[in-house]
Amino acid sequence: AVFLSDRVIVLTRSPGTVRAEIPTALPRPRSWTRLVEDPQFKALVAKVLALVRDDNTQVSASAPAGTKG
C-alpha cells in the first residue's frame, strides 16, 4: 500500500473504522529498487505495520480463551 498510494488508510477490526490516515509523499515515478532502500519508505512501512499489528494484539489480548479474536 505504501509503494502504490499517496496515502494509506489503516482501519480497525470490526467494526472497521479509520484508525489512521498516513500520507506517503514519496516521489514519483516510484521504483521498487530505489524505494526499498529509502529510509522514508522504510519508516512509513514500519508505521503502517505497527498500527495493524497493535490493533491485532489488542483484539487478541481481549478475546476470550480459545478464540482468535
Short mmCIF file of all heavy atoms in Angstrom, two decimals:
data_model
loop_
_atom_site.label_atom_id
_atom_site.label_comp_id
_atom_site.label_asym_id
_atom_site.label_seq_id
_atom_site.Cartn_x
_atom_site.Cartn_y
_atom_site.Cartn_z
N ALA A 1 0.83 -1.19 0.00
CA ALA A 1 0.00 0.00 0.00
C ALA A 1 0.87 1.26 0.00
O ALA A 1 0.55 2.22 -0.67
CB ALA A 1 -0.94 0.00 1.20
N VAL A 2 1.95 1.25 0.77
CA VAL A 2 2.83 2.42 0.84
C VAL A 2 3.45 2.69 -0.52
O VAL A 2 3.54 3.84 -0.96
CB VAL A 2 3.91 2.24 1.92
CG1 VAL A 2 4.92 3.36 1.90
CG2 VAL A 2 3.27 2.12 3.30
N PHE A 3 3.87 1.66 -1.21
CA PHE A 3 4.52 1.82 -2.52
C PHE A 3 3.56 2.38 -3.57
O PHE A 3 3.93 3.23 -4.36
CB PHE A 3 5.08 0.48 -2.99
CG PHE A 3 5.70 0.53 -4.36
CD1 PHE A 3 6.94 1.12 -4.56
CD2 PHE A 3 5.05 -0.01 -5.45
CE1 PHE A 3 7.52 1.18 -5.82
CE2 PHE A 3 5.61 0.04 -6.72
CZ PHE A 3 6.85 0.64 -6.90
N LEU A 4 2.32 1.93 -3.56
CA LEU A 4 1.38 2.27 -4.61
C LEU A 4 0.59 3.55 -4.39
O LEU A 4 0.12 4.15 -5.35
CB LEU A 4 0.37 1.12 -4.80
CG LEU A 4 0.95 -0.19 -5.31
CD1 LEU A 4 -0.12 -1.27 -5.29
CD2 LEU A 4 1.53 -0.02 -6.69
N SER A 5 0.44 3.98 -3.16
CA SER A 5 -0.53 5.03 -2.89
C SER A 5 0.09 6.36 -2.46
O SER A 5 1.26 6.45 -2.13
CB SER A 5 -1.49 4.57 -1.80
OG SER A 5 -0.76 4.37 -0.60
N ASP A 6 -0.75 7.38 -2.46
CA ASP A 6 -0.37 8.69 -1.95
C ASP A 6 -0.72 8.83 -0.47
O ASP A 6 -0.25 9.72 0.21
CB ASP A 6 -1.05 9.80 -2.74
CG ASP A 6 -0.55 9.84 -4.18
OD1 ASP A 6 0.67 9.64 -4.39
OD2 ASP A 6 -1.37 10.04 -5.09
N ARG A 7 -1.59 7.95 0.00
CA ARG A 7 -1.93 7.89 1.42
C ARG A 7 -2.41 6.48 1.73
O ARG A 7 -2.94 5.78 0.87
CB ARG A 7 -2.99 8.91 1.80
CG ARG A 7 -4.33 8.65 1.18
CD ARG A 7 -5.32 9.74 1.53
NE ARG A 7 -6.57 9.45 0.83
CZ ARG A 7 -7.75 9.82 1.26
NH1 ARG A 7 -7.86 10.52 2.36
NH2 ARG A 7 -8.83 9.52 0.58
N VAL A 8 -2.22 6.08 2.98
CA VAL A 8 -2.66 4.77 3.43
C VAL A 8 -3.67 4.99 4.55
O VAL A 8 -3.40 5.74 5.49
CB VAL A 8 -1.47 3.92 3.95
CG1 VAL A 8 -1.96 2.59 4.51
CG2 VAL A 8 -0.45 3.70 2.84
N ILE A 9 -4.81 4.35 4.42
CA ILE A 9 -5.83 4.41 5.46
C ILE A 9 -5.77 3.09 6.22
O ILE A 9 -5.98 2.02 5.64
CB ILE A 9 -7.24 4.60 4.85
CG1 ILE A 9 -7.29 5.81 3.92
CG2 ILE A 9 -8.29 4.69 5.96
CD1 ILE A 9 -7.06 7.13 4.56
N VAL A 10 -5.49 3.16 7.51
CA VAL A 10 -5.44 1.97 8.35
C VAL A 10 -6.76 1.89 9.10
O VAL A 10 -7.17 2.86 9.76
CB VAL A 10 -4.26 2.02 9.35
CG1 VAL A 10 -4.25 0.78 10.23
CG2 VAL A 10 -2.94 2.16 8.61
N LEU A 11 -7.43 0.75 8.96
CA LEU A 11 -8.72 0.55 9.60
C LEU A 11 -8.58 -0.33 10.84
O LEU A 11 -7.67 -1.15 10.93
CB LEU A 11 -9.70 -0.11 8.63
CG LEU A 11 -9.97 0.64 7.33
CD1 LEU A 11 -10.87 -0.20 6.42
CD2 LEU A 11 -10.59 1.99 7.60
N THR A 12 -9.52 -0.17 11.77
CA THR A 12 -9.58 -1.06 12.92
C THR A 12 -10.29 -2.34 12.50
O THR A 12 -10.91 -2.40 11.43
CB THR A 12 -10.37 -0.42 14.07
OG1 THR A 12 -11.71 -0.19 13.65
CG2 THR A 12 -9.73 0.88 14.53
N ARG A 13 -10.23 -3.31 13.38
CA ARG A 13 -11.01 -4.52 13.14
C ARG A 13 -12.48 -4.18 13.34
O ARG A 13 -12.82 -3.03 13.63
CB ARG A 13 -10.55 -5.61 14.10
CG ARG A 13 -9.15 -6.10 13.74
CD ARG A 13 -8.71 -7.20 14.66
NE ARG A 13 -9.51 -8.39 14.43
CZ ARG A 13 -9.02 -9.58 14.14
NH1 ARG A 13 -7.73 -9.74 14.03
NH2 ARG A 13 -9.82 -10.60 13.97
N SER A 14 -13.30 -5.16 13.27
CA SER A 14 -14.75 -5.00 13.31
C SER A 14 -15.21 -4.20 14.53
O SER A 14 -14.80 -4.53 15.64
CB SER A 14 -15.39 -6.38 13.32
OG SER A 14 -16.78 -6.26 13.27
N PRO A 15 -15.99 -3.16 14.40
CA PRO A 15 -16.40 -2.59 13.12
C PRO A 15 -15.27 -1.75 12.54
O PRO A 15 -14.55 -1.07 13.28
CB PRO A 15 -17.60 -1.71 13.49
CG PRO A 15 -17.31 -1.27 14.88
CD PRO A 15 -16.57 -2.42 15.53
N GLY A 16 -15.08 -1.81 11.26
CA GLY A 16 -13.97 -1.11 10.61
C GLY A 16 -14.16 0.41 10.64
O GLY A 16 -15.04 0.94 10.00
N THR A 17 -13.37 1.04 11.46
CA THR A 17 -13.35 2.50 11.49
C THR A 17 -11.94 2.96 11.17
O THR A 17 -10.98 2.19 11.31
CB THR A 17 -13.78 3.05 12.87
OG1 THR A 17 -12.89 2.52 13.86
CG2 THR A 17 -15.20 2.65 13.21
N VAL A 18 -11.80 4.19 10.76
CA VAL A 18 -10.48 4.71 10.39
C VAL A 18 -9.64 4.88 11.65
O VAL A 18 -10.02 5.61 12.56
CB VAL A 18 -10.59 6.04 9.63
CG1 VAL A 18 -9.21 6.62 9.36
CG2 VAL A 18 -11.35 5.84 8.33
N ARG A 19 -8.54 4.18 11.69
CA ARG A 19 -7.60 4.29 12.81
C ARG A 19 -6.56 5.36 12.54
O ARG A 19 -6.17 6.11 13.42
CB ARG A 19 -6.93 2.95 13.04
CG ARG A 19 -5.97 3.00 14.18
CD ARG A 19 -5.37 1.66 14.48
NE ARG A 19 -4.47 1.85 15.60
CZ ARG A 19 -4.27 0.97 16.54
NH1 ARG A 19 -4.89 -0.17 16.49
NH2 ARG A 19 -3.44 1.23 17.50
N ALA A 20 -6.08 5.43 11.29
CA ALA A 20 -5.07 6.42 10.93
C ALA A 20 -5.10 6.66 9.42
O ALA A 20 -5.41 5.76 8.65
CB ALA A 20 -3.69 5.95 11.35
N GLU A 21 -4.76 7.88 9.05
CA GLU A 21 -4.56 8.23 7.65
C GLU A 21 -3.11 8.70 7.54
O GLU A 21 -2.72 9.67 8.17
CB GLU A 21 -5.51 9.33 7.21
CG GLU A 21 -5.33 9.73 5.78
CD GLU A 21 -6.31 10.80 5.34
OE1 GLU A 21 -7.35 10.99 5.99
OE2 GLU A 21 -6.01 11.46 4.33
N ILE A 22 -2.32 7.98 6.75
CA ILE A 22 -0.90 8.26 6.66
C ILE A 22 -0.55 8.69 5.24
O ILE A 22 -0.60 7.87 4.31
CB ILE A 22 -0.08 7.01 7.05
CG1 ILE A 22 -0.49 6.55 8.45
CG2 ILE A 22 1.41 7.28 6.96
CD1 ILE A 22 -0.03 5.16 8.80
N PRO A 23 -0.20 9.97 5.05
CA PRO A 23 0.24 10.40 3.72
C PRO A 23 1.62 9.83 3.41
O PRO A 23 2.47 9.74 4.30
CB PRO A 23 0.28 11.92 3.83
CG PRO A 23 0.29 12.23 5.28
CD PRO A 23 -0.24 11.04 6.01
N THR A 24 1.83 9.40 2.18
CA THR A 24 3.12 8.79 1.85
C THR A 24 4.12 9.81 1.32
O THR A 24 5.30 9.73 1.65
CB THR A 24 2.96 7.65 0.84
OG1 THR A 24 2.33 8.15 -0.33
CG2 THR A 24 2.16 6.51 1.42
N ALA A 25 3.71 10.75 0.50
CA ALA A 25 4.57 11.82 -0.03
C ALA A 25 5.90 11.31 -0.59
O ALA A 25 6.93 11.93 -0.44
CB ALA A 25 4.83 12.87 1.06
N LEU A 26 5.86 10.17 -1.24
CA LEU A 26 7.06 9.62 -1.88
C LEU A 26 7.12 10.12 -3.32
O LEU A 26 6.08 10.30 -3.97
CB LEU A 26 7.02 8.09 -1.85
CG LEU A 26 7.04 7.47 -0.46
CD1 LEU A 26 6.71 5.98 -0.55
CD2 LEU A 26 8.39 7.67 0.20
N PRO A 27 8.33 10.36 -3.83
CA PRO A 27 8.45 10.90 -5.18
C PRO A 27 7.94 9.93 -6.25
O PRO A 27 7.97 8.72 -6.06
CB PRO A 27 9.95 11.14 -5.33
CG PRO A 27 10.60 10.24 -4.35
CD PRO A 27 9.62 10.09 -3.21
N ARG A 28 7.45 10.50 -7.33
CA ARG A 28 7.01 9.71 -8.49
C ARG A 28 7.90 10.06 -9.66
O ARG A 28 8.36 11.20 -9.74
CB ARG A 28 5.55 10.02 -8.81
CG ARG A 28 4.64 9.50 -7.73
CD ARG A 28 3.21 9.56 -8.24
NE ARG A 28 2.29 9.07 -7.25
CZ ARG A 28 1.86 7.81 -7.19
NH1 ARG A 28 2.27 6.93 -8.06
NH2 ARG A 28 1.02 7.43 -6.27
N PRO A 29 8.10 9.17 -10.60
CA PRO A 29 7.68 7.77 -10.59
C PRO A 29 8.43 6.98 -9.53
O PRO A 29 9.57 7.31 -9.18
CB PRO A 29 8.01 7.27 -12.00
CG PRO A 29 9.12 8.15 -12.46
CD PRO A 29 8.90 9.49 -11.78
N ARG A 30 7.77 5.95 -9.03
CA ARG A 30 8.35 5.15 -7.96
C ARG A 30 9.00 3.90 -8.52
O ARG A 30 8.41 3.21 -9.34
CB ARG A 30 7.28 4.78 -6.94
CG ARG A 30 6.75 6.02 -6.24
CD ARG A 30 5.69 5.71 -5.24
NE ARG A 30 5.20 6.98 -4.68
CZ ARG A 30 4.04 7.12 -4.09
NH1 ARG A 30 3.24 6.08 -3.95
NH2 ARG A 30 3.68 8.29 -3.63
N SER A 31 10.18 3.67 -8.05
CA SER A 31 10.92 2.47 -8.45
C SER A 31 11.13 1.61 -7.22
O SER A 31 11.67 2.07 -6.21
CB SER A 31 12.28 2.88 -9.03
OG SER A 31 13.14 1.76 -9.10
N TRP A 32 10.70 0.35 -7.29
CA TRP A 32 10.84 -0.55 -6.15
C TRP A 32 12.30 -0.69 -5.74
O TRP A 32 12.61 -0.66 -4.55
CB TRP A 32 10.24 -1.92 -6.48
CG TRP A 32 10.39 -2.87 -5.33
CD1 TRP A 32 11.27 -3.90 -5.21
CD2 TRP A 32 9.65 -2.85 -4.11
NE1 TRP A 32 11.13 -4.52 -4.01
CE2 TRP A 32 10.13 -3.90 -3.31
CE3 TRP A 32 8.62 -2.05 -3.62
CZ2 TRP A 32 9.61 -4.15 -2.04
CZ3 TRP A 32 8.12 -2.31 -2.35
CH2 TRP A 32 8.62 -3.36 -1.59
N THR A 33 13.20 -0.79 -6.69
CA THR A 33 14.61 -0.99 -6.36
C THR A 33 15.19 0.22 -5.62
O THR A 33 16.08 0.05 -4.78
CB THR A 33 15.45 -1.30 -7.61
OG1 THR A 33 15.25 -0.26 -8.58
CG2 THR A 33 15.07 -2.63 -8.21
N ARG A 34 14.69 1.40 -5.90
CA ARG A 34 15.17 2.59 -5.17
C ARG A 34 14.45 2.75 -3.83
O ARG A 34 15.07 3.06 -2.82
CB ARG A 34 14.98 3.85 -6.00
CG ARG A 34 16.07 4.02 -7.04
CD ARG A 34 15.90 5.30 -7.78
NE ARG A 34 14.73 5.11 -8.66
CZ ARG A 34 14.24 6.02 -9.47
NH1 ARG A 34 14.78 7.21 -9.53
NH2 ARG A 34 13.22 5.77 -10.25
N LEU A 35 13.14 2.55 -3.83
CA LEU A 35 12.37 2.78 -2.60
C LEU A 35 12.65 1.77 -1.50
O LEU A 35 12.60 2.11 -0.33
CB LEU A 35 10.87 2.78 -2.89
CG LEU A 35 10.28 4.09 -3.37
CD1 LEU A 35 8.78 3.96 -3.55
CD2 LEU A 35 10.59 5.22 -2.43
N VAL A 36 12.95 0.55 -1.88
CA VAL A 36 13.17 -0.48 -0.86
C VAL A 36 14.33 -0.13 0.07
O VAL A 36 14.38 -0.58 1.20
CB VAL A 36 13.34 -1.88 -1.52
CG1 VAL A 36 14.70 -2.04 -2.15
CG2 VAL A 36 13.06 -2.98 -0.53
N GLU A 37 15.23 0.72 -0.38
CA GLU A 37 16.36 1.16 0.44
C GLU A 37 16.17 2.56 1.03
O GLU A 37 17.00 3.03 1.79
CB GLU A 37 17.65 1.13 -0.39
CG GLU A 37 18.04 -0.25 -0.88
CD GLU A 37 18.28 -1.23 0.27
OE1 GLU A 37 18.81 -0.81 1.32
OE2 GLU A 37 17.95 -2.41 0.11
N ASP A 38 15.08 3.21 0.69
CA ASP A 38 14.83 4.58 1.13
C ASP A 38 14.38 4.62 2.59
O ASP A 38 13.43 3.94 2.97
CB ASP A 38 13.74 5.20 0.24
CG ASP A 38 13.47 6.64 0.57
OD1 ASP A 38 12.63 6.89 1.45
OD2 ASP A 38 14.10 7.51 -0.06
N PRO A 39 15.05 5.42 3.44
CA PRO A 39 14.69 5.48 4.86
C PRO A 39 13.25 5.97 5.11
O PRO A 39 12.59 5.48 6.02
CB PRO A 39 15.69 6.47 5.45
CG PRO A 39 16.81 6.55 4.47
CD PRO A 39 16.23 6.22 3.13
N GLN A 40 12.77 6.91 4.30
CA GLN A 40 11.40 7.39 4.47
C GLN A 40 10.40 6.29 4.16
O GLN A 40 9.42 6.11 4.88
CB GLN A 40 11.15 8.60 3.55
CG GLN A 40 9.75 9.17 3.68
CD GLN A 40 9.46 10.28 2.69
OE1 GLN A 40 10.27 10.59 1.82
NE2 GLN A 40 8.31 10.90 2.83
N PHE A 41 10.64 5.53 3.10
CA PHE A 41 9.77 4.41 2.75
C PHE A 41 9.76 3.37 3.86
O PHE A 41 8.70 2.91 4.28
CB PHE A 41 10.24 3.79 1.43
CG PHE A 41 9.47 2.57 1.02
CD1 PHE A 41 8.18 2.67 0.50
CD2 PHE A 41 10.02 1.30 1.14
CE1 PHE A 41 7.47 1.55 0.11
CE2 PHE A 41 9.32 0.18 0.76
CZ PHE A 41 8.04 0.30 0.24
N LYS A 42 10.93 3.02 4.36
CA LYS A 42 11.03 2.03 5.44
C LYS A 42 10.28 2.50 6.68
O LYS A 42 9.60 1.71 7.34
CB LYS A 42 12.49 1.76 5.78
CG LYS A 42 13.22 0.98 4.72
CD LYS A 42 14.67 0.78 5.15
CE LYS A 42 15.45 -0.02 4.13
NZ LYS A 42 16.84 -0.25 4.54
N ALA A 43 10.38 3.78 7.01
CA ALA A 43 9.69 4.33 8.18
C ALA A 43 8.18 4.28 8.00
O ALA A 43 7.44 3.94 8.95
CB ALA A 43 10.16 5.75 8.44
N LEU A 44 7.70 4.59 6.80
CA LEU A 44 6.27 4.54 6.53
C LEU A 44 5.74 3.11 6.63
O LEU A 44 4.68 2.87 7.22
CB LEU A 44 5.96 5.12 5.15
CG LEU A 44 6.08 6.63 5.02
CD1 LEU A 44 6.06 7.04 3.55
CD2 LEU A 44 4.98 7.33 5.80
N VAL A 45 6.46 2.16 6.06
CA VAL A 45 6.05 0.76 6.14
C VAL A 45 6.02 0.30 7.60
O VAL A 45 5.06 -0.35 8.04
CB VAL A 45 7.00 -0.14 5.31
CG1 VAL A 45 6.73 -1.61 5.58
CG2 VAL A 45 6.83 0.16 3.82
N ALA A 46 7.03 0.66 8.36
CA ALA A 46 7.08 0.28 9.78
C ALA A 46 5.90 0.89 10.54
O ALA A 46 5.30 0.22 11.40
CB ALA A 46 8.40 0.72 10.39
N LYS A 47 5.55 2.13 10.24
CA LYS A 47 4.44 2.79 10.91
C LYS A 47 3.11 2.09 10.61
O LYS A 47 2.32 1.83 11.53
CB LYS A 47 4.37 4.26 10.47
CG LYS A 47 3.33 5.07 11.17
CD LYS A 47 3.42 6.53 10.76
CE LYS A 47 2.44 7.38 11.54
NZ LYS A 47 2.60 8.81 11.23
N VAL A 48 2.88 1.77 9.35
CA VAL A 48 1.65 1.08 8.96
C VAL A 48 1.59 -0.30 9.62
O VAL A 48 0.57 -0.67 10.22
CB VAL A 48 1.54 0.95 7.42
CG1 VAL A 48 0.39 0.03 7.03
CG2 VAL A 48 1.37 2.32 6.79
N LEU A 49 2.67 -1.05 9.56
CA LEU A 49 2.69 -2.38 10.17
C LEU A 49 2.48 -2.32 11.67
O LEU A 49 1.78 -3.16 12.25
CB LEU A 49 4.00 -3.10 9.85
CG LEU A 49 4.15 -3.59 8.41
CD1 LEU A 49 5.54 -4.17 8.18
CD2 LEU A 49 3.09 -4.60 8.07
N ALA A 50 3.07 -1.33 12.33
CA ALA A 50 2.90 -1.19 13.78
C ALA A 50 1.44 -0.93 14.14
O ALA A 50 0.91 -1.50 15.10
CB ALA A 50 3.79 -0.07 14.30
N LEU A 51 0.77 -0.09 13.36
CA LEU A 51 -0.65 0.19 13.62
C LEU A 51 -1.51 -1.05 13.42
O LEU A 51 -2.40 -1.34 14.21
CB LEU A 51 -1.14 1.32 12.71
CG LEU A 51 -0.66 2.72 13.07
CD1 LEU A 51 -0.92 3.68 11.92
CD2 LEU A 51 -1.34 3.20 14.34
N VAL A 52 -1.24 -1.80 12.37
CA VAL A 52 -2.01 -3.02 12.10
C VAL A 52 -1.73 -4.07 13.17
O VAL A 52 -2.65 -4.68 13.71
CB VAL A 52 -1.68 -3.56 10.69
CG1 VAL A 52 -2.29 -4.93 10.48
CG2 VAL A 52 -2.17 -2.58 9.63
N ARG A 53 -0.48 -4.27 13.48
CA ARG A 53 -0.12 -5.28 14.50
C ARG A 53 -0.66 -4.91 15.87
O ARG A 53 -1.12 -5.76 16.61
CB ARG A 53 1.39 -5.45 14.55
CG ARG A 53 1.92 -6.17 13.34
CD ARG A 53 3.42 -6.30 13.39
NE ARG A 53 3.90 -7.03 12.23
CZ ARG A 53 5.05 -6.82 11.65
NH1 ARG A 53 5.88 -5.91 12.13
NH2 ARG A 53 5.40 -7.52 10.59
N ASP A 54 -0.61 -3.63 16.23
CA ASP A 54 -1.11 -3.18 17.51
C ASP A 54 -2.60 -3.46 17.63
O ASP A 54 -3.08 -3.91 18.66
CB ASP A 54 -0.83 -1.69 17.71
CG ASP A 54 -1.28 -1.19 19.07
OD1 ASP A 54 -0.90 -1.81 20.08
OD2 ASP A 54 -2.00 -0.18 19.12
N ASP A 55 -3.34 -3.22 16.56
CA ASP A 55 -4.78 -3.49 16.57
C ASP A 55 -5.03 -4.98 16.74
O ASP A 55 -5.91 -5.38 17.49
CB ASP A 55 -5.42 -2.98 15.28
CG ASP A 55 -6.94 -2.99 15.35
OD1 ASP A 55 -7.49 -2.54 16.38
OD2 ASP A 55 -7.58 -3.43 14.38
N ASN A 56 -4.26 -5.82 16.05
CA ASN A 56 -4.42 -7.27 16.18
C ASN A 56 -4.06 -7.75 17.57
O ASN A 56 -4.70 -8.63 18.12
CB ASN A 56 -3.58 -8.01 15.13
CG ASN A 56 -4.18 -7.90 13.75
OD1 ASN A 56 -5.38 -7.76 13.60
ND2 ASN A 56 -3.34 -7.96 12.74
N THR A 57 -3.03 -7.19 18.18
CA THR A 57 -2.60 -7.57 19.52
C THR A 57 -3.66 -7.21 20.54
O THR A 57 -3.97 -7.99 21.43
CB THR A 57 -1.26 -6.88 19.88
OG1 THR A 57 -0.30 -7.25 18.90
CG2 THR A 57 -0.78 -7.29 21.24
N GLN A 58 -4.24 -6.01 20.41
CA GLN A 58 -5.25 -5.58 21.35
C GLN A 58 -6.47 -6.48 21.28
O GLN A 58 -7.03 -6.85 22.31
CB GLN A 58 -5.68 -4.13 21.06
CG GLN A 58 -4.63 -3.13 21.45
CD GLN A 58 -5.05 -1.71 21.11
OE1 GLN A 58 -6.19 -1.47 20.68
NE2 GLN A 58 -4.14 -0.77 21.27
N VAL A 59 -6.88 -6.87 20.09
CA VAL A 59 -8.03 -7.73 19.94
C VAL A 59 -7.75 -9.11 20.50
O VAL A 59 -8.54 -9.68 21.23
CB VAL A 59 -8.48 -7.82 18.46
CG1 VAL A 59 -9.53 -8.89 18.27
CG2 VAL A 59 -9.00 -6.47 18.00
N SER A 60 -6.57 -9.66 20.20
CA SER A 60 -6.21 -10.99 20.68
C SER A 60 -6.12 -11.01 22.20
O SER A 60 -6.52 -11.97 22.83
CB SER A 60 -4.87 -11.43 20.08
OG SER A 60 -4.99 -11.55 18.69
N ALA A 61 -5.59 -9.95 22.79
CA ALA A 61 -5.44 -9.90 24.24
C ALA A 61 -6.79 -9.82 24.95
O ALA A 61 -6.95 -10.32 26.05
CB ALA A 61 -4.57 -8.70 24.63
N SER A 62 -7.80 -9.22 24.29
CA SER A 62 -9.10 -9.07 24.92
C SER A 62 -10.06 -10.20 24.57
O SER A 62 -11.16 -10.26 25.10
CB SER A 62 -9.71 -7.73 24.54
OG SER A 62 -9.96 -7.69 23.15
N ALA A 63 -9.66 -11.08 23.66
CA ALA A 63 -10.53 -12.17 23.23
C ALA A 63 -10.59 -13.26 24.30
O ALA A 63 -9.61 -13.55 24.97
CB ALA A 63 -10.03 -12.77 21.92
N PRO A 64 -11.76 -13.88 24.47
CA PRO A 64 -11.87 -14.99 25.43
C PRO A 64 -10.95 -16.14 25.03
O PRO A 64 -10.63 -16.32 23.86
CB PRO A 64 -13.34 -15.41 25.30
CG PRO A 64 -14.03 -14.26 24.65
CD PRO A 64 -13.01 -13.56 23.83
N ALA A 65 -10.53 -16.93 25.99
CA ALA A 65 -9.66 -18.07 25.74
C ALA A 65 -10.30 -19.00 24.73
O ALA A 65 -11.52 -19.22 24.76
CB ALA A 65 -9.38 -18.81 27.04
N GLY A 66 -9.48 -19.51 23.82
CA GLY A 66 -9.98 -20.45 22.82
C GLY A 66 -10.52 -19.80 21.55
O GLY A 66 -11.01 -20.48 20.68
N THR A 67 -10.44 -18.46 21.49
CA THR A 67 -10.89 -17.77 20.27
C THR A 67 -9.71 -17.05 19.65
O THR A 67 -8.69 -16.82 20.30
CB THR A 67 -12.00 -16.75 20.56
OG1 THR A 67 -11.46 -15.70 21.39
CG2 THR A 67 -13.19 -17.39 21.23
N LYS A 68 -9.87 -16.67 18.41
CA LYS A 68 -8.81 -15.97 17.72
C LYS A 68 -9.00 -14.46 17.76
O LYS A 68 -8.17 -13.73 17.31
CB LYS A 68 -8.72 -16.43 16.26
CG LYS A 68 -8.27 -17.85 16.12
CD LYS A 68 -8.14 -18.21 14.67
CE LYS A 68 -7.66 -19.64 14.53
NZ LYS A 68 -7.47 -20.02 13.16
N GLY A 69 -10.09 -13.99 18.29
CA GLY A 69 -10.33 -12.56 18.40
C GLY A 69 -10.98 -12.06 17.18
O GLY A 69 -11.02 -11.13 16.64
#
